[in-house]
Amino acid sequence: MKPASIGIIERASAKSEHERLGQYFVNRYIAGQWSELFYEESYDKARQMIIEWLMDHQYKFEMPPKVREIEG
């Protein structure tokens, strides 16, 4: 089962022309550092890492809170 929030994150990141999926997620939802995800170039690998994080942190049906707002 994948969390419902992954679709929202994917659609939002698609609008950001200058950020990879992992970079988009780390910039907005991770308070600390997660270099492996931030620099991940493979969309599929980044997506799987985000899904695992969402599931591990109990975000199956809702979005995690944003830790910062970024334009674009």
Side-chain angles (χ1 to χ4, degrees), residues 13-72:
S13 74
K15 294 177 184 176
S16 178
E17 298 176 11
H18 304 291
E19 291 177 294
R20 296 172 304 279
L21 177 62
Q23 184 179 1
Y24 176 90
F25 185 78
V26 170
N27 281 340
R28 288 160 181 82
Y29 297 102
I30 302 297
Q33 294 182 353
W34 189 359
S35 298
E36 183 181 5
L37 177 59
F38 185 88
Y39 292 108
E40 181 55 57
E41 293 184 13
S42 167
Y43 185 92
D44 292 334
K45 186 172 179 184
R47 183 179 188 275
Q48 188 57 43
M49 293 168 73
I50 293 168
I51 287 171
E52 289 173 11
W53 185 92
L54 292 168
M55 296 297 285
D56 289 347
H57 292 85
Q58 305 299 312
Y59 291 109
K60 296 176 185 171
F61 302 106
E62 67 276 343
M63 290 292 294
K66 284 187 175 181
V67 295
R68 65 187 72 80
E69 291 288 334
I70 298 177
E71 296 290 324

